[in-house]
Amino acid sequence: MASYYKPLSNFFYPLLISYLASFCLVSIIEAKKHGGITLDLIHRDSPHSPFYNISQSYFDRLSTLFHRSNSRKSSISLLYSKTISKSTNSFQARVIPDYGEYLMKISIGTPPVEILGIADTGSDLTWIQCKPCYECYNQTSPIFNPKKTKTYGQVSCKSRQCSYVGSFNCDSSNGCNYEVSYGDNSYSVGDLAVDTFTFDSNSRKSVSFPKVVFGCGHRNRGTFKEMDSGIIGLGRGPLSIIKQLDKTIDGIFSYCLTFIDSNATSKISFGRKAIVQGPKVKSTPIVRKDLDTFYYLTLEGISVGRERLAYNSISNSQESVEEGNIIIDSGTTLSYVPREFYDTLESTLVKTIKGKRVSAKQQTLKLCYAVTKDGKFNPPPIVAHFRGADVELRQENTFIEVEKGIFCLTFVPSQALAIFGNLHQMNYHIGYDLKKQKVNFLQTDCSKHH
C-alpha cells in the first residue's frame, strides 16, 4: 500500500506512524468521553477581537460590516454562477476570505502553535502562512515553522486528499502543492500537509487530532489582515475540518451567535456537545447540490404578520419551490433574496408598518423608518418558513438601527443565489447534522450558552 505522507526521515517515519496511531485513539476517546468540544467564536467587530477599533462608533462598525457582507455575497454568487454554468478554472475556492465574520483559535503542531483563523462555512481547506515565506502578507503573530513540529508531514500527490484540492501539482519529491484563489484575487499557494490540530475546549482540557490535512502556505497575497493566520474551513467538502473529524464528532457541529453589541462571545461546538434537541427544535433538510462546500436549505416562504408570501415559485403552483434555493452562511451578515420576492416582501411591509419612511446614509439597506416621537418602532413579526421549520426572526435583527433613530430592514435584494445571513441566526442555537442531513434551530439566549 502506498504511503500518502512524506516522512521527515526514513528513521523517524516508523516511530511517527506508531505515535500517531496511538495518539489518534486517545484523542477520539477523550473527545467522546468529554462529550465533544466547545470553543469561542469571536466576532471580528467585538471588543474581544484584535480587529476591534475603539475609535469607531457602533454605527461605523455596522457600515463596514454591511460592506463586507455585500463583498462576500458577490463572491459567493460568482462561484455559484460559474458552477452551474459548468465553467472550469484552475482555482477552486472563490469566497473572499477577509469577509468572514468570526474568528477561531486553534493550535497546530507538536509542540502546538496557536493560530487565529477566520472560521468559514463557505470554505473547505484550512490553511495558514508557513515558513519559508517566499511571498507573504504581514502577520502579527509568528509564522508557522513546519521544521519545528514533530508531527508534520507532506501529503503525497497520489493521495485522494490531493485530488480534493481542485488545483494542485507535484513537486520533485512527489509532494502535493495546492493552489486556492478567492473572489478578490487573493490567493494561497503551498504544500498540502498533515499535522496535529489541538482544540482548547472551554469546559474541558485540550483535545488533539493527528493527521489533519491543511495547507501550509508559502505564497499568500491579497486582502488578509495582519492578525489573520489563515482560514479554518468549516464547509461540507471533503477537506473541511467537519469532514476530517467526522468519526470523532459524528458529523455534528453547532454554533450560537450573540447579538453584535453583546459582551458575551459566541460559541461553536463539535460532537455530542453540539447536538441541538428538545421539543421546541425546528428541523429542515440540507440539500445536496453540485457545489458541495455550502449548506443549502429550501425556503418555502416568509410571513409578515399573518400574511404568508410564497417564495421562489418555479411553476404555476404556488406550492412548488426549487430545492436548495438558499444558502445558510455564518460569514455573511445580511440576508439576500431574489429581487422579485424582495419587492413583494417590501411592499407587504410598507402596507403593514405605520411610520415615517426615510432614507439612510447606509445605501445597502432599502427600507428604512424613523422612530416615532415617543422613540418607538414596532415592525410586524416576520417568520422564515424553511421546509419543515418555521423560524421566527428576532425583531431586533429584522430591522436594525443603522443611525440614531433610523431602523432598516436587513433583507436585501439580489439577482443571484439567496443567502440566509448571520443577523437572522443570532440568538438561535443552530445545529448541523451531516449524517441525518438536517439543520436544527432552537431559539435561545446565546449570551448564556456554554
Side-chain angles (χ1 to χ4, degrees):
M1 184 176 178
S3 168
Y4 289 148
Y5 309 110
K6 291 171 59 184
L8 301 181
S9 72
N10 290 333
F11 171 76
F12 182 65
Y13 184 64
L15 297 178
L16 174 62
I17 293 301
S18 174
Y19 168 78
L20 290 180
S22 61
F23 196 52
C24 182
L25 179 61
V26 171
S27 298
I28 292 173
I29 291 173
E30 284 296 311
K32 292 197 171 185
K33 183 175 72 174
H34 296 314
I37 310 160
T38 297
L39 309 172
D40 288 333
L41 270 183
I42 306 167
H43 194 281
R44 62 188 304 138
D45 289 326
S46 80
H48 304 281
S49 167
F51 297 113
Y52 185 73
N53 185 347
I54 196 170
S55 66
Q56 278 191 321
S57 70
Y58 171 73
F59 297 133
D60 289 337
R61 282 192 283 274
L62 278 184
S63 180
T64 304
L65 188 152
F66 295 151
H67 172 73
R68 291 198 304 266
S69 183
N70 284 337
S71 297
R72 183 173 174 89
K73 183 268 300 182
S74 298
S75 186
I76 290 176
S77 299
L78 175 63
L79 176 54
Y80 182 74
S81 63
K82 285 181 177 293
T83 301
I84 61 175
S85 66
K86 305 300 181 184
S87 172
T88 58
N89 190 284
S90 60
F91 286 0
Q92 184 145 346
R94 295 183 186 86
V95 176
I96 297 177
D98 187 42
Y99 298 111
E101 292 304 313
Y102 291 91
L103 305 169
M104 181 174 155
K105 289 180 181 178
I106 63 173
S107 296
I108 301 178
T110 307
V113 175
E114 185 177 86
I115 70 160
L116 182 67
I118 298 169
D120 190 2
T121 53
S123 294
D124 292 327
L125 179 67
T126 295
W127 65 262
I128 59 173
Q129 293 208 111
C130 284
K131 291 183 177 180
C133 248
Y134 303 116
E135 183 186 14
C136 286
Y137 59 90
N138 291 331
Q139 180 178 311
T140 305
S141 59
I143 292 175
F144 185 78
N145 187 349
K147 291 185 178 180
K148 291 188 176 181
T149 166
K150 300 174 183 177
T151 43
Y152 179 90
Q154 191 175 352
V155 173
S156 165
C157 245
K158 296 178 181 178
S159 68
R160 282 185 304 164
Q161 292 95 327
C162 190
S163 66
Y164 292 150
V165 174
S167 179
F168 67 91
N169 56 65
C170 304
D171 62 23
S172 58
S173 57
N174 205 35
C176 182
N177 300 143
Y178 76 92
E179 299 178 50
V180 292
S181 73
Y182 299 90
D184 62 345
N185 296 319
S186 301
Y187 59 84
S188 176
V189 179
D191 298 323
L192 195 65
V194 291
D195 210 331
T196 297
F197 276 42
T198 301
F199 297 83
D200 292 324
S201 184
N202 287 350
S203 57
R204 300 285 183 177
K205 62 181 181 180
S206 301
V207 180
S208 297
F209 303 91
K211 295 193 290 186
V212 177
V213 177
F214 72 107
C216 201
H218 302 297
R219 300 182 187 275
N220 317 289
R221 272 285 179 262
T223 56
F224 309 107
K225 303 299 184 184
E226 291 184 356
M227 283 74 90
D228 290 339
S229 300
I231 306 295
I232 301 173
L234 301 175
R236 287 181 63 214
L239 289 181
S240 78
I241 294 292
I242 307 304
K243 286 290 189 178
Q244 290 195 64
L245 303 186
D246 181 66
K247 289 183 179 179
T248 307
I249 67 174
D250 294 323
I252 298 171
F253 76 102
S254 67
Y255 51 73
C256 208
L257 306 180
T258 59
F259 286 144
I260 294 172
D261 55 351
S262 173
N263 288 325
T265 59
S266 302
K267 306 294 181 188
I268 184 168
S269 300
F270 305 88
R272 278 193 303 158
K273 284 193 174 194
I275 295 174
V276 178
Q277 57 189 354
K280 295 183 179 180
V281 169
K282 309 290 179 66
S283 297
T284 188
I286 297 173
V287 179
R288 287 189 173 278
K289 303 194 85 165
D290 288 344
L291 190 56
D292 62 1
T293 296
F294 298 113
Y295 298 92
Y296 298 91
L297 309 181
T298 301
L299 183 63
E300 297 181 330
I302 292 180
S303 289
V304 175
R306 295 184 177 179
E307 186 173 355
R308 177 163 171 156
L309 311 175
Y311 180 83
N312 216 26
S313 177
I314 58 173
S315 70
N316 292 329
S317 169
Q318 290 298 303
E319 297 179 358
S320 182
V321 296
E322 176 192 353
E323 295 285 328
N325 56 21
I326 192 166
I327 288 171
I328 180 170
D329 182 43
S330 63
T332 306
T333 300
L334 301 169
S335 289
Y336 297 85
V337 293
R339 164 68 69 177
E340 185 176 347
F341 181 78
Y342 173 83
D343 290 342
T344 303
L345 176 63
E346 182 182 288
S347 62
T348 304
L349 285 164
V350 168
K351 287 187 297 182
T352 309
I353 296 173
K354 295 179 181 179
K356 181 182 179 183
R357 188 171 176 180
V358 296
S359 296
K361 296 176 184 176
Q362 174 51 250
Q363 297 181 354
T364 295
L365 307 181
K366 308 300 180 185
L367 182 62
C368 303
Y369 287 89
V371 297
T372 58
K373 291 181 180 179
D374 58 2
K376 294 182 179 179
F377 175 68
N378 297 307
I382 297 177
V383 177
H385 300 286
F386 294 100
R387 179 148 297 168
D390 297 331
V391 178
E392 182 180 347
L393 305 184
R394 297 280 186 150
Q395 179 179 311
E396 305 96 308
N397 287 341
T398 53
F399 278 88
I400 194 168
E401 189 175 19
V402 298
E403 49 190 280
K404 188 65 175 177
I406 296 179
F407 289 78
C408 296
L409 178 67
T410 50
F411 281 95
V412 179
S414 173
Q415 301 292 9
L417 183 72
I419 302 172
F420 189 64
N422 63 48
L423 271 180
H424 294 146
Q425 301 175 49
M426 290 177 181
N427 268 5
Y428 268 94
H429 189 193
I430 300 180
Y432 296 71
D433 189 329
L434 300 191
K435 288 192 174 178
K436 295 181 179 178
Q437 291 297 307
K438 286 183 175 293
V439 170
N440 300 318
F441 296 86
L442 178 62
Q443 198 170 72
T444 187
D445 182 353
C446 287
S447 66
K448 298 178 181 179
H449 185 79
H450 301 289

